[in-house]
Amino acid sequence: RAFSSCAVNGRSYTIPQANTSMVAILLDGNAPEYIEVASAKGAMKNWNEILSRQSFRRGEVGLVQCVVPTFTNPNNVAVVTGSLPNVNGICGNYLFDEETNQEVMMNDTRFLRCGTILAEMNKQGVEVAVVTAKDKLLKLLSHGLTSNSTGFSVEKANDPSVSVQLMKYGVKDIVSLMKRPSPPIYGADASLFCLEAGVQLLRRRLAIPSMACKPAMYYLSTTDYIQHKHQPDSQEAIDFYRRIDSIIGELDQMGAVIGITGDHGMNDKVKADGSPNVVYLEDLLRQHGVESRVILPITDPYVVHHGALGSYATIYVSDKSQLSKTQQLLSTVPGVEAVYLRSKACELLGLPGDRIGDIVVLGDRCTVLGRTPAIHDLTQVPYLRSHGGMHEAIVPLFINRPLKPLYKEKLKSGSARNWDLFDFLCNGLE
């Protein structure tokens, strides 16, 4: 029989049926190497068991493309809207707001230019819960949700408003739900707490008949502290992924439909001596007679992760007659991989032209882009691992259910994107 569907940003999504629990997980910084190494070390037993089941139960995994710039906000919002930044408006964690002439965090819902899949599903009667590690994402991801939804961040899980939301699950506060207080944001436990909260919400939901009979859609978004601080073959990373795998197993055992992807990969951004490999764009341009404002859209409150240094920058050149000169100059700089004028950047990357500068610059695999040395505190990042460019634009997409042939082929071909996650979950299952 035909199932009901809803349209969001030009795409159609089948509404989950009654008794269906759908869990979408965005693993921040989930470079393929972390899964590969953890799997080789025996830390991904549930992941691999799901992928090796008999055909009628077997899950699928493939590599998919991310939004560039490969930062947290653009990719999370792309996933929950099923669209590129030129549709949803979110092209970084940070931008220069030309209307107010201020540099601001791109966390407020006023920057969103479209609705989300989560909000539309919620309007259609689907129970929606959003749990993030980073508080900066919560407003964007929970935009448009009704009062019967659930949304909180690990950073602010002790807020009284969270306790009110948790009452419908039969608990009075986050400690009652989790049997422990929320952890600090800097550490592995913030991400694990986020995922475990999803497990506990689902477990309680299934125990309440009036909730269990309805369809549910959960979105869980972690933080990339481990990936910034530890390489894939480190014991810290392997132990982290072992615990993630355990959570995947719990969700799978409860019958959840699980989809997992990432917002970006992660690479070392260091010189041969291990020090950060930075090209300081404002200083460089000033030395050549070009006055500019360099915006680093990786900028967010979590400077311990990356020191506001990533492999993507956008530049507002004061004298527009110097645009060609600036592009040519930057193209010769070691570590700079690509330099695009605004129109070309919008065409190639799907960016909104009114929210980027005159020029977009991409660093290579080993290079990050900064403003001036005085602005960046490199003591926070003695060994820098970061993201933002093309070399962090491939991540896994994992589904714990068999896919229809068309979707299976799309996943295996490499043509899928992380922002197709809900298309796979809602429309692609056998």
Side-chain angles (χ1 to χ4, degrees):
R1 66 184 179 86
F3 297 113
S4 298
S5 64
C6 60
V8 185
N9 303 320
R11 305 176 77 174
S12 179
Y13 298 91
T14 301
I15 299 169
Q17 295 176 268
N19 305 302
T20 299
S21 300
M22 187 174 287
V23 181
I25 297 174
L26 197 295
L27 292 179
D28 197 351
N30 190 35
E33 296 80 13
Y34 284 97
I35 299 291
E36 293 165 6
V37 173
S39 182
K41 296 291 185 179
M44 303 298 292
K45 293 180 179 178
N46 291 297
W47 176 285
N48 288 321
E49 187 275 329
I50 291 168
L51 297 176
S52 60
R53 290 172 178 167
Q54 293 181 340
S55 59
F56 66 94
R57 297 177 58 239
R58 184 182 302 141
E60 299 288 347
V61 69
L63 296 179
V64 299
Q65 302 168 54
C66 301
V67 169
V68 178
T70 46
F71 297 141
T72 296
N73 287 20
N75 278 279
N76 271 271
V77 173
V79 170
V80 301
T81 62
S83 68
L84 283 165
N86 57 10
V87 173
N88 64 55
I90 306 301
C91 55
N93 303 339
Y94 187 81
L95 86 160
F96 175 54
D97 187 343
E98 293 190 88
E99 290 184 11
T100 63
N101 201 41
Q102 291 181 320
E103 297 178 21
V104 294
M105 297 293 177
M106 197 181 277
N107 301 342
D108 196 275
T109 56
R110 70 187 174 94
F111 294 115
L112 265 177
R113 288 178 167 167
C114 67
T116 73
I117 299 161
L118 300 173
E120 185 58 35
M121 289 291 179
N122 197 206
K123 291 175 187 175
Q124 299 294 331
V126 177
E127 178 208 330
V128 172
V130 176
V131 184
T132 69
K134 299 172 178 176
D135 190 66
K136 73 168 186 173
L137 280 172
L138 187 60
K139 284 184 180 180
L140 294 173
L141 300 181
S142 59
H143 179 61
L145 296 182
T146 61
S147 58
N148 66 348
S149 63
T150 304
F152 61 89
S153 70
V154 173
E155 274 192 281
K156 297 189 177 179
N158 297 318
D159 191 285
S161 65
V162 177
S163 299
V164 173
Q165 296 179 62
L166 295 177
M167 288 176 64
K168 61 179 173 284
Y169 293 95
V171 292
K172 64 178 183 178
D173 55 28
I174 196 68
V175 175
S176 300
L177 178 72
M178 301 295 293
K179 310 304 180 190
R180 59 191 172 105
S182 58
I185 194 65
Y186 292 126
D189 206 29
S191 290
L192 298 171
F193 192 94
C194 168
L195 300 177
E196 289 165 2
V199 171
Q200 294 304 323
L201 290 176
L202 180 57
R203 180 170 287 125
R204 287 186 171 272
R205 174 185 179 273
L206 295 175
I208 301 171
S210 61
M211 296 180 75
C213 65
K214 299 176 181 178
M217 183 177 281
Y218 289 8
Y219 186 81
L220 313 176
S221 179
T222 66
T223 181
D224 55 359
Y225 177 85
I226 285 292
Q227 291 89 344
H228 271 290
K229 297 302 181 184
H230 301 285
Q231 295 173 321
D233 59 356
S234 68
Q235 194 60 50
E236 291 87 351
I238 293 166
D239 289 345
F240 178 64
Y241 275 85
R242 191 189 310 277
R243 291 187 63 186
I244 290 174
D245 182 72
S246 176
I247 292 165
I248 293 169
E250 287 188 78
L251 291 168
D252 185 65
Q253 285 294 315
M254 285 191 282
V257 177
I258 308 168
I260 303 173
T261 191
D263 55 351
H264 55 76
M266 191 76 65
N267 280 303
D268 293 346
K269 306 289 184 177
V270 295
K271 301 175 184 176
D273 63 1
S275 62
N277 189 23
V278 189
V279 174
Y280 293 106
L281 295 172
E282 272 185 19
D283 273 9
L284 176 69
L285 292 176
R286 189 172 294 116
Q287 289 166 13
H288 288 81
V290 178
E291 290 300 318
S292 67
R293 180 194 294 266
V294 173
I295 298 296
L296 306 175
I298 192 173
T299 305
D300 66 13
Y302 313 101
V303 292
V304 172
H305 288 185
H306 46 63
L309 293 165
S311 297
Y312 173 100
T314 183
I315 303 173
Y316 294 82
V317 178
S318 300
D319 181 353
K320 306 306 180 190
S321 69
Q322 293 184 309
L323 285 178
S324 179
K325 169 188 173 180
T326 304
Q327 183 183 27
Q328 292 173 16
L329 168 64
L330 292 173
S331 297
T332 67
V333 175
V336 170
E337 185 166 78
V339 185
Y340 301 122
L341 296 178
R342 177 187 282 134
S343 59
K344 192 65 175 180
C346 293
E347 175 190 339
L348 293 176
L349 305 178
L351 301 175
D354 60 332
R355 290 184 173 174
I356 63 172
D358 303 300
I359 290 174
V360 163
V361 185
L362 295 169
D364 65 19
R365 182 185 183 90
C366 303
T367 305
V368 290
L369 307 169
R371 297 182 65 174
T372 71
I375 288 175
H376 301 278
D377 182 5
L378 299 187
T379 64
Q380 300 275 10
V381 285
Y383 191 90
L384 180 61
R385 289 174 56 74
S386 195
H387 50 93
M390 300 297 293
H391 295 277
E392 295 80 40
I394 300 295
V395 295
L397 190 149
F398 168 97
I399 306 286
N400 74 329
R401 293 286 195 276
L403 295 174
K404 295 173 182 176
L406 185 64
Y407 283 83
K408 185 175 181 178
E409 175 56 30
K410 184 176 182 180
L411 186 58
K412 295 300 181 185
S413 72
S415 63
R417 296 79 55 91
N418 63 351
W419 67 95
D420 293 327
L421 180 62
F422 282 104
D423 182 31
F424 276 84
L425 286 172
C426 295
N427 304 327
L429 305 185
E430 280 281 22

